[in-house]
Amino acid sequence: MPYPDRFYPVVDSVAWVARLALLGVGTIQLRAKELNDADALQIVRDALEVIKGTPARLVVNDYWRAAIAAGAKHLHLGQEDLAEADLKAIRNAGLTLGVSTHDDEELETALRVKPDYVALGPIFPTTLKSMRFAPQGIPKITEWKKRIGNIPLVAIGGIKLEHAAEIFKAGADSIAVVSDVTQNADPDARVRAWLQYQPEAA
């Protein structure tokens, strides 16, 4: 099974992780903000517990200490967290590592740590958080993919299922999805549609 899966939802609670895992989602990122160390450890442990017996793989966003302590297998870091993280401890714990990038400098920083995947965003305008970076646009996906070669490229930021064909055609290996699931009127149906989506052969 490729990692990360083509459909890669990002959610902020254990309830969402459980819901997605039961629907058959293969890669789920838990991105809960502003937690102290104890709460971070608890939420990671709880999330790992709810995916037991499912095919889901949990990716912990930012809380690398909690990921190591809880025995998680997958980690995602933004640039600020990457700068402060103990990369040796992360690798020694056997964690895979995905890294967010928004510009050329951040891509260089990411590639230096030999990531398991690189995320590029935001592809489109996003309402979820105020972004310091302008939308990248689809052509940037093709450029980034040429530069990173065999490393999987995850596109993120304002992407809906209706965009999937052009995103994959541009070179993305995976699409990270937030609001298209969590703010959808029928999230379960939307998840099933994503899971059933088959990119056209290039």
Side-chain angles (χ1 to χ4, degrees), residues 3 8 27-30 57-61 74-76 117:
Y3 175 78
Y8 181 6
T27 307
I28 306 167
Q29 184 181 131
L30 175 63
R57 291 172 291 198
L58 180 76
V59 183
V60 178
N61 182 290
H74 307 285
L75 181 68
H76 182 95
Y117 69 82

Side-chain angles (χ1 to χ4, degrees), residues 78-80 101-103 106 121-122 126 129-136:
Q79 293 280 323
E80 290 93 353
T101 66
H102 306 88
D103 60 25
E106 291 191 350
T126 174
K129 52 183 179 178
S130 57
M131 298 299 293
R132 291 184 295 131
F133 300 92
Q136 305 282 355

